[in-house]
Amino acid sequence: MKEVSKTINYKGRDYKIVFNLNVMEEIQEEYGSLNKWGDLTDGKGSENGETDVKALLFGFRAMLNEGIDIDNEENGTNEPFLTTKKVGRILSDIGIEKANEDINSVVIESVKSDEKNA
């Protein structure tokens, strides 16, 4: 696993979404497993195939706040973490489908094997 980030823009401000072990732990703590959380965000965990918005908000918030935490450490800043409501506004602006694409891309990229085929 490697730490992967992607930048999104909301109202002229760049936010970094990060998927790493810290985010994995947070998601596992809340949902029991990454697979269960992934099924919920992909709509596979619901009867009607809809995205579980609570699960999406949770994971997106965890990834955004990890990006803020890293930036704070690296730059000596003290940017506050985002609330679930603020993350909901960001998701509403960029769209659930786009957010899911961004989340999936950082998750998939982070868990790709670094080993070359022999």
Side-chain angles (χ1 to χ4, degrees), residues 3 10 17-18 26-27 33 37 39 55 69 72 79-80 109:
E3 181 174 284
Y10 172 68
I17 57 173
V18 175
E26 215 175 316
I27 290 170
S33 74
W37 171 77
D39 285 347
D69 199 31
N72 283 342
E79 184 71 30
E109 187 63 32

Side-chain angles (χ1 to χ4, degrees), residues 57-73:
L57 283 168
F58 183 89
F60 205 57
R61 189 178 115 253
M63 292 178 202
L64 286 164
N65 283 336
E66 182 68 5
I68 290 170
D69 199 31
I70 291 168
D71 284 346
N72 283 342
E73 286 178 10

Side-chain angles (χ1 to χ4, degrees), residues 26-92:
E26 215 175 316
I27 290 170
Q28 286 177 333
E29 174 102 5
E30 183 71 18
Y31 290 95
S33 74
L34 288 175
N35 287 336
K36 183 176 178 186
W37 171 77
D39 285 347
L40 291 169
T41 61
D42 289 340
K44 296 175 188 167
S46 71
E47 293 176 14
N48 57 9
E50 288 183 356
T51 297
D52 183 310
V53 176
K54 183 176 180 179
L56 182 64
L57 283 168
F58 183 89
F60 205 57
R61 189 178 115 253
M63 292 178 202
L64 286 164
N65 283 336
E66 182 68 5
I68 290 170
D69 199 31
I70 291 168
D71 284 346
N72 283 342
E73 286 178 10
E74 291 177 353
N75 302 317
T77 54
N78 195 23
E79 184 71 30
F81 293 133
L82 300 175
T83 65
T84 301
K85 285 192 175 235
K86 177 71 173 197
V87 173
R89 290 182 194 111
I90 294 170
L91 279 173
S92 294

Side-chain angles (χ1 to χ4, degrees), residues 1-4 19-20 24 34 103-117:
M1 162 156 208
K2 59 186 173 188
E3 181 174 284
V4 174
F19 189 79
N20 61 15
M24 283 180 70
L34 288 175
I103 287 171
N104 286 336
S105 72
V106 295
V107 170
I108 290 167
E109 187 63 32
S110 72
V111 295
K112 278 185 182 176
S113 174
D114 290 347
E115 298 174 15
K116 294 183 179 180
N117 294 333

Side-chain angles (χ1 to χ4, degrees), residues 3-20:
E3 181 174 284
V4 174
S5 67
K6 179 178 183 108
T7 302
I8 61 166
N9 188 281
Y10 172 68
K11 294 192 175 188
R13 178 167 177 199
D14 287 336
Y15 291 92
K16 183 167 45 173
I17 57 173
V18 175
F19 189 79
N20 61 15

